[in-house]
Amino acid sequence: MTAKEFLSQAERLDRRLEIEIKRAQSFRRDAYSLGSPSIGERVQTSRNTDAPFERSVNEAIDMEIKIKDRIALLLKLKVQIQTAIDALDDSDERMVLYYRYVESRTWEEIGEYLNVNRTTVYRWHNRALEKIVIPENPVIL
C-alpha cells in the first residue's frame, strides 16, 4: 500500500458513509409511510403476513448497525492518518496532507489557505508523501 492509498482511504470511507446514511434515512421514511396490513379473510396461506413496514424497519436497523461499525472504523483510520501526518517534520507538508486527506480540500483551497500557488502545494504534497510512514497495522478498507 502506498502512502497516498493509505491517506485516501478516509475520504472513500466518508463517501460510503454518506450513501449508507441516506439509505438508512430512506428505510426509516418508508417504515413511517407504509400502511398496516389489511385485516380480512385470506385464501392464500403462503403469502407473507408481515406488516409492509416491517421489512423497512429491519433494513433501517441493519443499516444503522453497519453505519455505527463504519464510523468506528473511520475514527480509527483518521487517528492513524493524523498520527502519520503529525510525525512529519515540515509544517507546510503537514498542513498540505492535513487539508487534503483529513479535511478533503481541493488543491486550490489548500493554496489559498497557505498563501502559495498550486505548484508549490503539489511540490510539498509529493515531498510529504515520500516521507510519510504508514503504520505497521494500518486500517485497510
Side-chain angles (χ1 to χ4, degrees), residues 55-110:
R55 183 184 147 280
S56 293
V57 169
N58 291 334
E59 289 288 340
I61 291 169
D62 290 345
M63 270 317 260
E64 288 170 4
I65 291 169
K66 189 175 183 180
I67 289 167
K68 181 183 169 198
D69 293 343
R70 288 208 196 256
I71 289 172
L73 183 65
L74 179 62
L75 292 175
K76 184 176 179 182
L77 177 60
K78 284 196 173 191
V79 166
Q80 285 186 340
I81 289 171
Q82 190 64 56
T83 302
I85 291 171
D86 289 344
L88 294 174
D89 291 332
D90 188 289
S91 64
D92 294 326
E93 293 170 2
R94 280 195 313 267
M95 297 285 284
V96 168
L97 293 185
Y98 177 80
Y99 285 139
R100 184 66 180 175
Y101 297 105
V102 177
E103 292 193 2
S104 301
R105 302 289 179 191
T106 66
W107 298 114
E108 292 77 17
E109 289 173 327
I110 296 169

Side-chain angles (χ1 to χ4, degrees), residues 12-131:
R12 283 196 318 276
L13 186 53
D14 232 351
R15 300 278 183 256
R16 281 189 210 165
L17 270 168
E18 287 175 14
I19 291 167
E20 289 170 357
I21 288 169
K22 286 179 184 176
R23 285 183 62 205
Q25 290 169 342
S26 174
F27 287 129
R28 268 189 249 113
R29 228 180 359 263
D30 289 349
Y32 288 113
S33 67
L34 295 174
S36 61
S38 60
I39 299 174
E41 287 188 44
R42 297 238 168 124
V43 177
Q44 261 184 328
T45 58
S46 62
R47 185 174 174 178
N48 186 357
T49 58
D50 294 337
F53 65 88
E54 192 172 337
R55 183 184 147 280
S56 293
V57 169
N58 291 334
E59 289 288 340
I61 291 169
D62 290 345
M63 270 317 260
E64 288 170 4
I65 291 169
K66 189 175 183 180
I67 289 167
K68 181 183 169 198
D69 293 343
R70 288 208 196 256
I71 289 172
L73 183 65
L74 179 62
L75 292 175
K76 184 176 179 182
L77 177 60
K78 284 196 173 191
V79 166
Q80 285 186 340
I81 289 171
Q82 190 64 56
T83 302
I85 291 171
D86 289 344
L88 294 174
D89 291 332
D90 188 289
S91 64
D92 294 326
E93 293 170 2
R94 280 195 313 267
M95 297 285 284
V96 168
L97 293 185
Y98 177 80
Y99 285 139
R100 184 66 180 175
Y101 297 105
V102 177
E103 292 193 2
S104 301
R105 302 289 179 191
T106 66
W107 298 114
E108 292 77 17
E109 289 173 327
I110 296 169
E112 286 177 27
Y113 290 146
L114 300 178
N115 258 351
V116 296
N117 62 33
R118 192 183 337 181
T119 306
T120 302
V121 172
Y122 288 152
R123 187 169 28 90
W124 288 345
H125 176 260
N126 291 333
R127 276 197 326 226
L129 287 180
E130 291 172 4
K131 297 175 186 175

